[in-house]
Amino acid sequence: MDAVPALDEPLKKVLGPATAKVMAEHLGLHTVGDLLHHYPRRYEERGQLTHLADLPMDEHVTVVAQVADARLHTFASSRAPRGKGQRLEVTITDGSGRLQLVFFGAGVHKPHKELLPGTRAMFAGKVSVFNRRLQLAHPAYELLRADSEEAVESWAGALIPLYPATAKLESWKIGKAIQTVLPSAQEAADPLPETLREGRGLVPLPEALLKIHRPHTKADIDRARARLKWDEAFVLQVALARRRHADAQLPAVPRRPKPDGILAAFDDRLPFTLTEGQRKVSKEIFADLATDHPMHRLLQGEVGSGKTLVALRAMLAVVDAGGQAAMLAPTEVLAQQHHRSVTEMMGELAEGGMLGGAENATKVVLLTGSMGAAARRQALLGLATGEAGIVIGTHALIEDKVQFHDLGLVVVDEQHRFGVEQRDALRGKGKQPPHLLVMTATPIPRTVAMTVFGDLETSVLDQLPAGRSPIASHVVPAADKPHFLARAWERVREEVGKGHQAYVVCPRIGDEEDGAKAKKKSPEDEAEKRPPLAVLDIAEQLARGPLAGLRVEVLHGRMQPDDKDAVMRRFAAGEADVLVATTVIEVGVNVPNATVMVIMDADRFGVSQLHQLRGRVGRGSAPGLCLLVTEMPEASAARQRLNAVASTLDGFELSRIDLEQRREGDVLGQAQSGTRSSLRMLAVIDDEEVIAEAREEATRIVAADPDLERLPALRTALDALLDEEREQYLEKG
């Protein structure tokens, strides 16, 4: 955690090369400091010593007793058909009663040698019943050499830390290694400023490390956790606060719209009024654009809340001020779709330099990797001369050849699909740093926004525009109730009969060689013994079976861009009834006439992803219907997840559920490109208050001392957190 040599000591010097190698490869632990910050996942209580006469069922107990006898039996079993199975039965007594211990298989050798009649030992395990007799199966035990009461007391009352372990390194071996390095904890430099620590009643870091690994009481654990959570929250928030502080020092060109410019003309031609939310968020964005340092704003909005319109108005404000705006989309389908909807919304205002274009019109160009050479040259020319005020594109925008006349705003759609470097490269194309607006339709709980997007100011669009319809969602248990699935296809036919359209979403394309490229199967796959349903198979089955006679089309990521666009155009024009697709339709595809979506193997998708997909229906005036088809049994966690999605349309509520089900590390997972999560103790959802308070403290400290000159231990902790990859992640935000 800091530069004190004791904590920087490589583990191979302290624990030996073999153990150190396993720790590095399987747990990502390299130094003494890393190991000290590998915290127990939970603690086992050995329980107070129990008399054999009154053992409770199904509880962990610890008993001190003497071995009365031990017998080794061999038996035949499915694993050892030739009678080679081994079972060791040990009977122990403490004067008040007797108890049977059993050990099986390879686990019999050590106790067979050690638990000889007359040996006294402590045994800890869970009491169960076998053949109407109480027993402990595979108990942990410690031989009592001397009859020392003290050893018995301390061993029995101890809280035993259980560590995140691997098959190569059991928890107790990690515990022993930590025991070896624990004295170094005294050397840990404390990153929290003393006034902050004392003001919040937090224990010093060395004490917290000792108490987390060797607690005497539950209160010790609570105090240590409270302190270590603060460390994580605070150091991360200081990193983000410094980022915000540095950004605030950068110069940018203020961009203010003209009172009678293209933005005013655009607003005049809108066939509806903006929602209260759209007005409020636009005001925040325009205030940022008018300042002389770059805007860094995250625009969160439920699917269909009108984010694209808000972003377009920001882009037009920049065009008004003589600049250019670029919108970066994650896929060609989406870039083409945005280009279509932007030019439709703008009408003659998008026909700059063309016959029939409005007088203050600009050009809106599309730039994707698969464009023909001539169209591409034309688009590049428009950007270089400044004739094109708005460009919408994919990664192709980032290439060296692309030159802007005066790039003033970058809008990034669906942030989580973009690499940090790509966004940075685009920002580097401005003469001065352009303003940045990041849009996401994945609702992010406030604390996660503060943690993952902590260097961006956040705006939230939480109202749906007038005229949007509610979406009803239902789980279809295909295995338990096959007639429900038959009814689902009837519902699709009914909607098509009314002149509407439908989506059917599958997890897989279906033309992969050798099944799904012999991918490692998840436990659920193993349980079901079948690969996820595939677009190509399902489309064929539907066209021949329950949806025969309807116009069924297919869309997936491996199709040629032109073919994908042609399919989307036909579907949007109503020339296809049913689109069987992968999640390529997850973001941005807008077909108001589509009213029903059937998601096959819905349990294979994440909660937020299901919510995103569902947002593709009910975009017009007719109500939407989303059917979540699954074969998972009622009691499974997967079914609970689907029930949660079906029960609420509140994306923020669902993202909380999603986070609670995934490990916290995943929240920062994408941000960290595979490095270990820096959040080991902090739970992003539960520790909302800690994060919010840490953010305030961090902002205050950085404002007073941006380079942390007066806080060297905090600076060191920051350097440890911000290894190369993370530094870049935060830098490029």
Side-chain angles (χ1 to χ4, degrees), residues 365-385:
V365 298
L366 175 69
L367 193 61
T368 64
S370 63
M371 281 169 74
R376 190 181 173 76
R377 256 199 316 277
Q378 198 59 42
L380 290 173
L381 187 66
L383 291 179
T385 59

Side-chain angles (χ1 to χ4, degrees), residues 447-462:
T447 45
V448 181
M450 283 194 297
T451 310
V452 183
F453 300 104
D455 57 338
L456 302 174
E457 298 301 323
T458 307
S459 296
V460 179
L461 272 179
D462 46 14

